[in-house]
Amino acid sequence: MQVCDYTIEGNPEGPTLVFIHGWPDNASLWRHQVAALASDHRCVLVTLPNFGEDPVRAGGFSFPALTELLVNTISEVQPEGRVTLVTHDWGAYLGYLVEQACPARIERMVAMDVGGRTGKPSFAAALMILGYQWALVLCWFLGGLIPPLGNALTQGVAKVVKVPDRQRHGVRSRFNYPYFYLWQGILLPWKRDGILQRYQPKCPVVYLYGTRKPFQFHSEGWLKLVAASGGFARGIDAGHWLQEQRAEEVNALILDWMSAARNPA
């Protein structure tokens, strides 16, 4: 059974939290959250394939393949019982796919900055989204032919979209494959089953998002679904990397929610 690379930190007897990062990050993204949560929780820190030090597969992984890897990883680290997902960016998108594939294994979810449903962007926002996503797809193709060129161009795109310096200098073009598989699913009807569609959570969801951004990756309908799930949505005065920029606020929200779930009285 193939699984994602992962490490485990924290209290081995505590509830299991599975952290899933997005682009262009790795498991170190969650260092502030682990510092706050590890005393009472068992923290499983996943590194998505091709986002680590070494590539795993040329061409990356489709969303069904990534979902299978993550489900396998959850089964390996928690053979019985349920886990809580803590996710960001593409990690949030994958978390929704995992919860959709095996809802009985997911107790609750904290998702950050990418919702399970997106709204119709303004014309200007649509241009920005198309511009950076297709630029990353192009960098991914170029990186398959000339890796140094693909890497340099990807780092240039990362600078334009204001990726923090800590992450930006380690960006590689092989990290970009989720954008290719997303647009493959959007543009090719026979590939559409591989992407997230009309998602509705079956577990309580807390959705946290930065408010200091030119556009949002969620709809008003998604915020209503979050509230109906038994969770809540909260905008935070931060950019896309809110768990770094507002770590104390994010940690307090997660800790309070986890505590309330364990002690409903």
Side-chain angles (χ1 to χ4, degrees):
M1 180 174 70
Q2 191 176 7
V3 301
C4 296
D5 288 341
Y6 64 87
T7 59
I8 300 178
E9 299 183 31
N11 184 347
E13 305 300 323
T16 298
L17 311 180
V18 177
F19 293 80
I20 311 174
H21 66 84
W23 182 91
D25 300 300
N26 55 41
S28 69
L29 173 72
W30 303 109
R31 63 200 184 281
H32 301 305
Q33 286 64 57
V34 171
L37 295 163
S39 61
D40 293 321
H41 299 83
R42 179 173 177 253
C43 300
V44 178
L45 302 161
V46 170
T47 295
L48 294 173
N50 281 15
F51 282 73
E53 290 295 322
D54 300 308
V56 176
R57 180 193 294 174
F61 292 74
S62 67
F63 292 117
L66 284 171
T67 301
E68 182 179 1
L69 283 172
L70 288 164
V71 170
N72 290 347
T73 304
I74 289 168
S75 296
E76 181 167 291
V77 302
Q78 184 83 28
E80 297 181 358
R82 298 186 293 173
V83 304
T84 293
L85 300 180
V86 185
T87 65
H88 177 248
D89 189 74
W90 279 117
Y93 187 94
L94 291 166
Y96 305 139
L97 288 169
V98 167
E99 196 269 341
Q100 195 172 59
C102 58
R105 300 303 315 278
I106 310 304
E107 184 170 9
R108 61 183 65 88
M109 187 186 323
V110 178
M112 300 185 199
D113 237 56
V114 171
R117 298 194 187 187
T118 56
K120 185 176 181 180
S122 67
F123 181 73
L127 286 179
M128 285 188 280
I129 292 168
L130 287 170
Y132 89 83
Q133 292 192 356
W134 276 95
L136 290 174
V137 171
L138 177 61
C139 293
W140 179 70
F141 275 114
L142 289 173
L145 301 171
I146 312 172
L149 176 60
N151 294 340
L153 291 174
T154 298
Q155 289 175 9
V157 175
K159 184 174 182 179
V160 170
V161 299
K162 296 182 173 25
V163 172
D165 288 345
R166 189 185 71 85
Q167 290 97 314
R168 178 162 51 87
H169 296 301
V171 171
R172 298 290 179 267
S173 60
R174 56 183 158 86
F175 298 179
N176 302 349
Y177 67 88
Y179 295 99
F180 168 77
Y181 288 106
L182 173 69
W183 282 100
Q184 182 189 69
I186 291 171
L187 297 175
L188 302 179
W190 59 92
K191 294 289 187 180
R192 204 153 291 163
D193 287 346
I195 62 175
L196 189 70
Q197 300 181 68
R198 304 300 296 172
Y199 171 67
Q200 184 158 349
K202 295 181 176 63
C203 69
V205 176
V206 163
Y207 179 63
L208 308 177
Y209 59 96
T211 58
R212 286 193 281 109
K213 302 194 306 179
F215 50 83
Q216 294 291 342
F217 283 108
H218 65 259
S219 66
E220 289 300 316
W222 170 245
L223 301 183
K224 292 176 182 177
L225 284 173
V226 167
S229 77
F232 63 88
R234 184 71 53 82
I236 292 175
D237 183 25
H240 185 62
W241 284 269
L242 61 158
Q243 69 272 68
E244 294 189 326
Q245 297 163 349
R246 292 290 184 272
E248 290 187 6
E249 184 176 353
V250 168
N251 295 347
L253 288 168
I254 296 173
L255 281 165
D256 289 348
W257 192 49
M258 296 294 183
S259 176
R262 289 198 305 271
N263 305 289

